[in-house]
Amino acid sequence: MVLQIPSSSEVIYPDSDGKPMADNTKQFRWIVVIKENLEWLFADNPDVFVAGDFLWYPVEGNNKIRQAPDAMVVFGRPKGDRGSYQQWKEDNIAPQVVFEVLSPGNTRTEMNRKLLFYDRFGVEEYYQYDPDTNALSGWKREEGFLDVIEEMAGWVSPRLQIQFDLTGDELRIIHPDGKPFLSYIEISHQAEQERQRAEQEHQRAEQEHQRAEQEHQRAEQERQRAEQVEQARLEAVTKLLEMGLSQGQVAEALELEIETVRQIAQEP
C-alpha cells in the first residue's frame, strides 16, 4: 500500500478544533435542542443543510480562518455527511443562520470575535442565547452588515419563520406551526402519549365494532324469529283451514284479522 503524503503546499482542513462541544449539561442540552429541531423543521427539504458544532472554513487555502457555530443552517446546499463545511466546495454559499449558546466560560472578547467573523463572512441572521440568564440577542443583516435586533421578544426569524418567546423562565422557540421546540425526552414522552391515545382510540373503535356486530347479530336473530313466527302462522292457518274451519273461525282462534286469513288462504 502506497501512502499519500500531502505536499508542503497542500492545506489540510481539520475536522475538529480540539475543543469540547459544550462546557456543561445546560449548554449541551440547548445546542442539541436547537440543532435537532432545526433538522426536523427542514427534514422534508433536501436542499437545507443543518449542522451543530461543525467547523466552517470560508476561505480556501487558509485553515486558520474558521468557526464552529453551535448550530447553523445553510439554504441551497444538500443534506449529507461532511467532515467540515468548506465553503468553496459548497457553491460558495455561506451559512445564512447561526446560533451560539453561551456558557460561563465564554468571554465578551470571544463572542465579539465571533460576531465579527459572522458579519465578515456573510451570515444573514445570528442568534446568541445565554441559558443561565435567559438572555437572547440577535443580529440581522441590513445594508451589508449584521445589525442588532432591538427587540427579541416575539421576534420571528425571516429565514426560518420560527418565533422566540421570552415570557417564561427560559427561552421557548416556536415552530411555524405553533408547536414549541422540544428535547428528545419531551418528544419521546409526547410520542408515547400519542401512542397511548392511538391505542385507546383503537380499543374504543374495536369495542364499537364489537357492539355493532352484536347489534347486527341481535337484529338477525330477531329477523329469524319473526320469520319463524310468520312461517308458523302460515302453517297454522293452512292446517286449520284444511281441518274444515272457516276463515272466521281460524281468524278468531289465532287472533288474526279476517283479511289476513283470506290472504293466506289465497296464497299458492
Side-chain angles (χ1 to χ4, degrees):
M1 180 178 67
V2 179
L3 295 176
Q4 296 294 325
I5 301 175
S7 65
S8 58
S9 61
E10 184 178 351
V11 179
I12 303 300
Y13 301 92
D15 294 345
S16 172
D17 57 7
K19 298 178 181 179
M21 176 177 172
D23 294 340
N24 55 56
T25 56
K26 185 183 293 185
Q27 184 188 27
F28 179 82
R29 173 170 58 84
W30 271 102
I31 292 172
V32 172
V33 165
I34 292 172
K35 185 266 182 185
E36 290 303 314
N37 278 270
L38 291 173
E39 287 269 25
W40 292 324
L41 179 59
F42 296 104
D44 296 330
N45 191 331
D47 293 319
V48 178
F49 173 65
V50 179
D53 190 43
F54 190 68
L55 280 172
W56 162 28
Y57 294 96
V59 180
E60 184 176 10
N62 192 331
N63 60 10
K64 303 299 182 183
I65 300 177
R66 64 189 187 186
Q67 198 57 255
D70 288 333
M72 69 181 195
V73 183
V74 190
F75 292 85
R77 297 307 302 154
K79 301 183 189 304
D81 294 328
R82 298 159 169 82
S84 61
Y85 191 83
Q86 299 175 32
Q87 188 170 315
W88 57 95
K89 295 181 179 179
E90 307 281 356
D91 288 345
N92 208 36
I93 298 176
Q96 291 93 351
V97 185
V98 163
F99 289 82
E100 293 284 357
V101 180
L102 302 184
S103 73
N106 293 124
T107 65
R108 181 179 297 275
T109 299
E110 175 190 2
M111 301 316 297
N112 286 341
R113 192 181 302 116
K114 288 186 177 184
L115 174 60
L116 290 174
F117 180 97
Y118 297 142
D119 179 55
R120 176 184 177 187
F121 292 109
V123 169
E124 295 178 10
E125 299 175 43
Y126 171 38
Y127 301 103
Q128 186 183 102
Y129 180 56
D130 185 345
D132 288 325
T133 61
N134 193 33
L136 177 67
S137 302
W139 293 262
K140 180 178 177 295
R141 186 163 295 276
E142 299 284 356
E143 298 180 353
F145 299 94
L146 281 177
D147 192 16
V148 67
I149 300 169
E150 295 294 342
E151 181 56 66
M152 284 303 303
W155 172 262
V156 176
S157 161
R159 271 286 190 174
L160 307 178
Q161 291 301 297
I162 59 176
Q163 185 178 32
F164 300 94
D165 178 5
L166 291 165
T167 57
D169 294 333
E170 64 177 14
L171 172 66
R172 291 178 75 244
I173 306 177
I174 311 300
H175 281 271
D177 63 3
K179 297 178 181 178
F181 277 26
L182 299 174
S183 68
Y184 175 78
I185 292 176
E186 290 170 328
I187 291 170
S188 296
H189 181 63
Q190 192 177 77
E192 177 61 21
Q193 289 179 325
E194 290 295 331
R195 187 196 66 78
Q196 291 176 358
R197 279 194 291 268
E199 181 64 25
Q200 291 170 354
E201 286 297 325
H202 174 74
Q203 291 175 355
R204 280 194 290 269
E206 184 63 26
Q207 291 169 352
E208 287 297 326
H209 174 74
Q210 291 175 357
R211 280 194 290 269
E213 184 64 26
Q214 291 169 354
E215 287 297 325
H216 174 74
Q217 291 174 358
R218 279 194 291 270
E220 181 63 20
Q221 291 169 353
E222 288 297 326
R223 185 189 65 80
Q224 291 175 358
R225 279 195 293 269
E227 288 181 350
Q228 291 169 354
V229 169
E230 180 65 17
Q231 184 63 30
R233 185 177 66 169
L234 291 173
E235 292 175 353
V237 170
T238 302
K239 186 174 181 180
L240 291 175
L241 289 173
E242 290 176 348
M243 292 172 60
L245 274 68
S246 68
Q247 291 181 354
Q249 290 173 325
V250 172
E252 183 179 357
L254 298 178
E255 297 181 349
L256 296 174
E257 296 290 336
I258 185 67
E259 186 61 32
T260 302
V261 175
R262 287 173 182 162
Q263 290 175 356
I264 296 173
Q266 294 173 0
E267 292 179 359

